[in-house]
Amino acid sequence: MNYFRSFFLVFMILGISKLAVAQEKYAVLITGDYAGDAYSVPISDQWNDGQGKGLRGFDEFWNDTFLMWEMLTKPIDEGGKGYSEENVYVLFAGGQDYYKSQPGVDGRYRPDDGSTVVTDYSASMGNLSLVFNGLASGTGGLPQLNQDDFLFVWTFDHGGGSGGNSTLCLIDGNITDDAFAALVNPIQANKKVFWMQQCRSGGFVDELEGNTTFFHSACQANQNAYRANDTPDIENEIRNNVTYHHGEYNFHMYSVTNGESPEEGTTSYNGIPYSSADLNSDNCISVSESWLWESARENSPETPLYSDLGSIGSTTSLRFPTLMFEDITSSENHRGIIGVTKDVRVMPGQTLTLYDKAIVHFINDAKITVEAGASLVIGDNVEFIMDDPHGTSDPSHSALLVRGNISFGSDIKFSSKNGHDWKGLDFDAMTTSYTLQGIEFDHCGIYGSARLTVSNS
């Protein structure tokens, strides 16, 4: 479908510049060890009150680690969150995938291709420092995160308390909430999200919370966390006569965010569809929506805790670190990976600024309309993507529609993630002249009546 209309359009496309490196999504998954055997963990601080201790007794440590890794790294068009495997750092037990020492583990909890290794490091004090210091400073062969990046941290295993501090148990010792925060807080990121399943996890909130951080733990600082305790066919699966367990908190968080429980094909919980957690019906579960779902369905003696000082929870998800789904009635600035999940209007008198290197995904047939009297400021190396993995969108609707003022940076790209046509850039009854430097169109074009000169910078 061709959306070019040549009302006074003048093109001089002399070349295409390569986009600068854009925001990346990163995750660190930490599960200390199977059952705290490497050192002394008091029974009061052991997972599930120390019940079922033994190599197979705490299979949820591996099960939930694997599920989180799989959900993050699975391609978006297969229901995952689209993280690069290289950007997901797994610190698990002694450093080896659990199923390698337990050949009877069901194929559900093994990588599909049989050759992928999930675990990157043992969950030691030294490796925790290596990973977090690396992400903060770019040392140890790890990338240095910056203000355009997103960081997700998930923790499991035992947790305890010491001298008024909560602790996370690792393979060779306990790290306090203060020491953990001292490693994580220096990492520069646009946003950070923490999910913590271990006992006493709520004690980490004071050290980690902030205006660009969303924190959610399974329990309070003085509570233990527990294994999922509903009948196995609801929260813990039976496969070949073996029960595969999960943490109560982990089960709910994974299931609602994934849209399907660990028992594949199960898309509801006690008859309530996971999709009902999507309170604004934008086909994307925000971290605040997952918090509301999980906290309402806890049936263990644990009280979930969350902190959202900057009120970012409703506009943050694991797939899109920034969500846009409401009209802009007060000027906003955004950077990094952005998901436009519903039609958004920049209202008169307001300005939407997209910083350099932002990547803007249009899903659900959504579009951005810059109304007359409103402004859109686009930085350099910004990319707009029609993101329709199943080819069901209406290409005549998705667009960046301009009726007001617009300021272009250089090297801007309009593209299609899955090769489906869409409208692209639409000037609605405008005759203003613009000069665009290094703009590129793929499966879309320019529509409308503006006078444009397009050139390379």
Side-chain angles (χ1 to χ4, degrees):
M1 189 176 295
N2 183 2
Y3 290 108
F4 278 106
R5 292 179 64 185
S6 55
F7 293 92
F8 310 109
L9 292 180
V10 180
F11 290 100
M12 294 185 295
I13 301 178
L14 303 179
I16 299 300
S17 299
K18 184 178 180 180
L19 291 176
V21 176
Q23 184 191 46
E24 294 279 352
K25 297 180 291 188
Y26 294 89
V28 180
L29 311 181
I30 306 164
T31 300
D33 90 299
Y34 300 116
D37 291 323
Y39 60 99
S40 176
V41 178
I43 290 293
S44 61
D45 294 339
Q46 287 188 19
W47 167 244
N48 219 41
D49 290 332
Q51 299 301 308
K53 185 173 181 177
L55 195 59
R56 284 294 292 171
F58 287 101
D59 64 296
E60 54 263 49
F61 288 160
W62 170 252
N63 299 342
D64 292 349
T65 303
F66 179 83
L67 289 174
M68 287 293 174
W69 171 86
E70 180 188 62
M71 178 177 69
L72 293 174
T73 61
K74 187 183 294 185
I76 289 174
D77 57 3
E78 295 178 17
K81 306 307 174 188
Y83 288 60
S84 167
E85 288 186 18
E86 290 76 17
N87 289 354
V88 179
Y89 302 92
V90 179
L91 289 74
F92 178 75
Q96 183 183 55
D97 288 0
Y98 175 64
Y99 73 89
K100 291 187 176 180
S101 62
Q102 292 290 299
V105 172
D106 190 82
R108 174 70 185 90
Y109 295 99
R110 301 166 178 259
D112 289 340
D113 62 10
S115 61
T116 298
V117 176
V118 173
T119 303
D120 298 295
Y121 305 94
S122 66
S124 68
M125 299 284 282
N127 284 333
L128 195 70
S129 296
L130 172 72
V131 171
F132 283 143
N133 285 334
L135 296 177
S137 62
T139 57
L142 281 80
Q144 182 179 19
L145 274 62
N146 59 49
Q147 62 181 351
D148 290 324
D149 294 319
F150 172 76
L151 178 64
F152 171 59
V153 178
W154 173 83
T155 60
F156 195 11
D157 196 45
H158 306 294
S162 174
N165 294 97
S166 289
T167 59
L168 172 66
C169 301
L170 302 174
I171 195 73
D172 57 354
N174 300 341
I175 185 168
T176 66
D177 45 15
D178 288 338
F180 189 90
L183 291 174
V184 179
N185 288 346
I187 298 173
Q188 297 299 307
N190 183 28
K191 295 180 180 179
K192 297 174 185 175
V193 170
F194 294 90
W195 289 357
M196 291 190 160
Q197 161 74 79
Q198 76 274 9
C199 298
R200 321 295 178 88
S201 50
F204 282 71
V205 65
D206 293 341
E207 290 74 20
L208 295 175
E209 65 184 354
N211 288 332
T212 58
T213 295
F214 186 91
F215 177 94
H216 181 186
S217 65
C219 59
Q220 304 287 313
N222 61 350
Q223 292 180 327
N224 282 351
Y226 291 86
R227 170 181 283 176
N229 58 11
D230 269 351
T231 53
D233 61 345
I234 296 178
E235 294 183 0
N236 300 300
E237 319 111 84
I238 297 177
R239 300 173 181 274
N240 296 319
N241 297 317
V242 175
T243 300
Y244 286 77
H245 299 94
H246 305 285
E248 174 78 15
Y249 168 90
N250 285 337
F251 171 82
H252 292 297
M253 294 301 290
Y254 167 83
S255 298
V256 70
T257 305
N258 188 54
E260 182 180 62
S261 73
E263 185 66 64
E264 301 99 319
T266 305
T267 58
S268 63
Y269 179 74
N270 280 338
I272 303 174
Y274 291 122
S275 59
S276 66
D278 182 11
L279 300 179
N280 66 345
S281 301
D282 71 342
N283 294 320
C284 196
I285 298 295
S286 69
V287 291
S288 63
E289 288 171 334
S290 62
W291 141 258
L292 290 169
W293 173 276
E294 182 272 333
S295 61
R297 285 162 182 81
E298 279 279 356
N299 55 16
S300 293
E302 59 192 40
T303 307
L305 173 69
Y306 89 103
S307 171
D308 185 13
L309 298 183
S311 299
I312 65 172
S314 64
T315 55
T316 303
S317 74
L318 297 189
R319 177 180 174 186
F320 297 116
T322 296
L323 297 169
M324 292 177 60
F325 52 82
E326 294 180 320
D327 289 345
I328 295 174
T329 58
S330 180
S331 295
E332 297 181 5
N333 306 319
H334 295 301
R335 64 174 72 248
I337 299 174
I338 301 163
V340 183
T341 58
K342 286 187 169 184
D343 285 357
V344 172
R345 296 185 301 158
V346 185
M347 303 304 289
Q350 308 307 319
T351 299
L352 169 63
T353 300
L354 302 174
Y355 288 122
D356 295 352
K357 301 180 291 183
I359 301 179
V360 184
H361 296 255
F362 294 86
I363 70 171
N364 306 326
D365 298 336
K367 67 180 176 183
I368 296 175
T369 300
V370 183
E371 298 289 7
S375 298
L376 172 64
V377 178
I378 305 174
D380 297 338
N381 298 290
V382 173
E383 183 172 8
F384 298 91
I385 304 173
M386 200 278 275
D387 192 346
D388 174 26
H390 306 295
T392 56
S393 293
D394 175 3
S396 67
H397 186 82
S398 293
L400 175 57
L401 177 61
V402 181
R403 294 172 177 152
N405 304 308
I406 185 167
S407 171
F408 293 96
S410 62
D411 300 314
I412 297 169
K413 183 176 181 178
F414 287 77
S415 65
S416 173
K417 185 175 179 62
N418 301 92
H420 303 298
D421 291 338
W422 64 299
K423 207 166 190 179
L425 180 58
D426 185 358
F427 291 94
D428 185 8
M430 294 181 64
T431 58
T432 307
S433 296
Y434 292 100
T435 297
L436 308 184
Q437 296 181 322
I439 194 166
E440 178 181 351
F441 292 94
D442 177 21
H443 288 275
C444 60
I446 301 176
Y447 187 84
S449 56
R451 182 183 295 274
L452 305 179
T453 298
V454 182
S455 64
N456 192 356
S457 57

